[in-house]
Amino acid sequence: MSYTAEISRTNPTCLLFLIDQSSSMLEPFAGQKDRQKADGVADAINRLLQNLVLKCAKSEGIRDFFYVGVLGYGGRVVSALGGALASQAIVPVSTLANHPLRVEERTRRIDDGAGGILEQKFKLPVWYEPKPTGRTPMCQALNAAKKTLEVFLGRYPQCYPPLAINITDGMSTDGDPLLAAESLRGLASADGNVLLFNAHLSALPAAPVEFPDREDGLADSFARQLFRMSSVLPPRLREGARSEGFAVSDGTRGFVFNADLVSIIRFLDIGTRVAPGGRMP
Amino acid sequence: MITVPPLRWQALRLVKQGNAAADYEDAAAADAARGRFAIADGASEASFAALWARLLVTRFVAEHCRPWRHLDWVAPLREHWAGAVDGLSLPWYAEDKRALGAFATFLGLALGRRSGRAAGTWQALAIGDSCLFHTRGDRLLCAFPVSRSADFGNRPRLLGSRSALDRLDEPRERARGKWKPADRLLLMTDALAHWFLLRTEQGKSPLAEIRDLLAAPSPHDAFAGWTDERRRHALLRNDDVTLVVVDLDAA
């Protein structure tokens, strides 16, 4: 059975994020005048990276269950991590954890379990800042992701299949991304094909859609195209989604519209999940 | 008067393959003189979970009141855990994980009998999927709290070290039973318990396999080799493994 390889420090997998940095990202997000899509993307990617790091954090440090890369595409395709991580295609998650651009301190209010509210300080790391420019070479980005993952698969041929997670407003300017997506999904480890998931951030004030199993009802042609580019969720990820209350079927795909994909990080199995009382941020 | 029956016990443990011995996050404790035994499984996605698991098992076996009846004895442990970790200077990610608290599954067992009787009762408390199996000869009399291999998952109920983050809906389960002389009770964390139930469902005899391991010249070495082999063939999930075997003496 595929998609069952253990994710471990000796057999890690790779998460590669593709971030749309094109100038169209300056448009407002989901009908909110004062919020650009680019800010929505930055929030999404920083939350994804934070959740990934926290998933691997233990008392003694970070366990390198994952390698992580962030490719930005706006005008051209570049590594979008900054500071000490600049220009590196992928890094172990421990390196990512220890080199955010900065760590902001925020406060959140939580239920104290006895009818009161507690204020809890927490740190918010920032790895990625929006810098929208140029056109949207999504095909080039998918091809660059393929090259990076080919190298990773050469090193870890038995790994749980790498995940490419594309966050975009959907308007490719360098051709039909369906073919490039298919080619990327054609890569495989012994455990299964590379997974491509897409998060579509749209200017349309349409209701969020998470993990659909059909394209009818999606807001526009870009959403439908991104749906078609997205991998069907393998059984264990599908069960993870089901157990969190998502309505899923055998045809459910790794696609969200005006929503984030942080839940995917939770669905990845590295051992006993902290679920009932302790909620991941 | 309730007394503790004559018994023998032993514990076998093994860290997840690929991890260092210090990464072991299960815990087991026993106080044979009190007839108390406990195991816990620190959640792998939590921090300082090994400490939390150790605190739970050692308190359960030493607790004066009857700790299988309620969870009042857990509150001081939460303070103890917080006292041990809250002052540490940590990187941002470890701080965040610490704020969430540690989590563990737990199983506690207490054995007793009325003075002058040959047989007696056992009481058990469980949170999550650490399991108890009560056996007589080759028969499985009781599996608690999980009784089917299909019911294991990677989201068991957990006992948290931060009460503020716990729903306090007390997801505990209780069971009791009657033991006779020469009965065997086995406590297992989830990977081994899953294997045990699956083999039982397949009509095999996991009890005989365990009996052979315990009869080996070095049960620890035999258990390590046996576990490795089953992990290699994907018959046993790669996880920390803990087994406590309690044998009531024959009459």
Side-chain angles (χ1 to χ4, degrees):
Chain A
M1 202 164 95
S2 54
Y3 301 100
T4 53
E6 184 187 1
I7 302 173
S8 68
R9 283 172 283 185
T10 47
N11 194 31
T13 190
C14 181
L15 276 93
L16 189 54
F17 298 94
L18 283 65
I19 310 295
D20 185 338
Q21 294 180 312
S22 66
S23 50
S24 63
M25 301 305 276
L26 290 165
E27 295 167 8
F29 172 53
Q32 305 170 45
K33 276 185 198 141
D34 50 356
R35 188 166 153 81
Q36 295 173 353
K37 284 187 274 185
D39 295 326
V41 169
D43 280 357
I45 183 66
N46 285 319
R47 286 192 64 212
L48 279 159
L49 296 177
Q50 180 188 21
N51 276 269
L52 195 58
V53 167
L54 287 177
K55 192 175 181 76
C56 304
K58 295 294 289 178
S59 353
E60 79 282 359
I62 301 283
R63 294 188 178 172
D64 283 325
F65 295 118
F66 301 104
Y67 277 71
V68 186
V70 183
L71 285 171
Y73 56 101
R76 58 201 182 94
V77 180
V78 291
S79 168
L81 292 173
L85 307 175
S87 79
Q88 301 196 58
I90 54 171
V91 294
V93 65
S94 58
T95 306
L96 181 80
N98 289 311
H99 296 95
L101 293 174
R102 61 178 185 281
V103 179
E104 296 175 358
E105 188 156 293
R106 306 265 179 95
T107 305
R108 69 180 150 218
R109 293 154 72 86
I110 57 165
D111 183 350
D112 70 358
I117 297 289
L118 281 178
E119 287 221 328
Q120 189 181 47
K121 281 189 179 164
F122 69 102
K123 305 278 175 75
L124 187 72
V126 174
W127 287 272
Y128 175 86
E129 288 179 308
K131 38 194 162 197
T133 175
R135 296 168 71 80
T136 313
M138 196 185 299
C139 298
Q140 258 186 63
L142 291 164
N143 291 334
K146 186 181 176 196
K147 278 187 193 144
T148 299
L149 292 181
E150 266 169 347
V151 174
F152 182 85
L153 286 164
R155 193 168 159 202
Y156 296 106
Q158 308 293 326
C159 69
Y160 185 90
L163 290 86
I165 295 178
N166 181 34
I167 307 176
T168 176
D169 64 0
M171 294 175 263
S172 172
T173 55
D174 67 345
D176 182 354
L178 271 173
L179 288 175
E182 195 176 325
S183 168
L184 175 60
R185 294 195 316 266
L187 292 179
S189 76
D191 192 47
N193 285 79
V194 163
L195 296 165
L196 172 61
F197 297 153
N198 288 284
H200 184 187
L201 297 184
S202 168
L204 294 173
V209 177
E210 293 171 288
F211 307 116
D213 61 0
R214 65 191 62 188
E215 62 182 75
D216 350 333
L218 294 177
D220 60 19
S221 60
F222 300 117
R224 286 189 286 277
Q225 183 177 55
L226 286 166
F227 171 86
R228 288 197 288 271
M229 288 162 60
S230 303
S231 302
V232 169
L233 291 187
R236 283 197 190 174
L237 291 183
R238 192 165 68 226
E239 281 319 303
R242 194 194 307 277
S243 71
E244 291 202 9
F246 293 102
V248 293
S249 74
D250 288 358
T252 293
R253 297 200 188 200
F255 171 75
V256 297
F257 176 84
N258 280 355
D260 72 37
L261 272 169
V262 168
S263 52
I264 283 289
I265 305 291
R266 292 199 301 272
F267 305 157
L268 292 171
D269 183 8
I270 58 164
T272 302
R273 294 261 319 275
V274 170
R279 296 165 294 275
M280 298 293 281
Chain B
M1 188 179 149
I2 303 294
T3 61
V4 173
L7 54 82
R8 285 157 295 128
W9 70 278
Q10 59 185 306
L12 297 171
R13 41 195 118 197
L14 207 62
V15 71
K16 177 175 179 170
Q17 196 247 324
N19 281 5
D23 297 335
Y24 174 79
E25 291 179 312
D26 282 0
D31 186 339
R34 289 168 164 274
R36 299 268 187 88
F37 302 87
I39 57 172
D41 178 352
S44 31
E45 282 197 18
S47 275
F48 303 103
L51 169 64
W52 179 235
R54 271 201 311 279
L55 288 171
L56 290 169
V57 295
T58 47
R59 189 70 236 161
F60 181 88
V61 303
E63 179 63 40
H64 286 295
C65 67
R66 291 181 280 183
W68 55 88
R69 299 181 66 134
H70 52 75
L71 288 172
D72 291 354
W73 52 279
V74 173
L77 303 180
R78 289 184 166 139
E79 286 172 29
H80 187 132
W81 183 88
V85 307
D86 279 352
L88 301 174
S89 167
L90 299 171
W92 70 267
Y93 44 81
E95 273 186 17
D96 238 10
K97 265 297 179 70
R98 175 175 63 190
L100 287 172
F103 295 86
T105 65
F106 177 83
L107 179 93
L109 170 70
L111 296 158
R113 66 171 173 183
R114 292 196 183 281
S115 303
R117 302 273 179 89
T121 57
W122 57 260
Q123 312 263 0
L125 167 75
I127 294 123
D129 57 9
S130 285
C131 292
L132 170 71
F133 301 110
H134 178 195
T135 71
R136 185 167 297 155
D138 283 325
R139 278 194 303 142
L140 174 61
L141 302 180
C142 172
F144 170 75
V146 182
S147 54
R148 296 184 317 166
S149 64
D151 291 340
F152 288 91
N154 71 345
R155 297 181 66 190
R157 290 175 164 185
L158 298 163
L159 190 54
S161 67
R162 298 258 193 227
S163 54
L165 291 172
D166 211 50
R167 293 256 171 86
L168 289 182
D169 52 4
E170 309 254 342
R172 70 186 196 277
E173 295 175 77
R174 289 169 59 184
R176 54 182 297 163
K178 292 181 177 170
W179 57 263
K180 287 183 177 175
D183 281 0
R184 167 170 277 180
L185 292 113
L186 305 104
L187 292 72
M188 301 182 195
T189 50
D190 60 332
L192 192 61
H194 175 264
W195 167 84
F196 185 90
L197 283 174
L198 188 61
R199 296 294 279 175
T200 302
E201 290 158 8
Q202 291 167 341
K204 311 284 187 197
S205 182
L207 279 170
E209 286 190 55
I210 289 172
R211 204 156 42 231
D212 291 348
L213 287 174
L214 296 174
S218 164
H220 286 95
D221 293 345
F223 185 60
W226 179 92
T227 302
D228 276 351
E229 194 183 324
R230 270 146 198 82
R231 284 174 178 165
R232 256 202 313 281
H233 295 99
L235 298 171
L236 184 68
R237 199 160 48 75
N238 185 22
D239 194 358
D240 291 345
V241 175
T242 302
L243 168 66
V244 175
V245 181
V246 182
D247 289 319
L248 280 312
D249 283 358

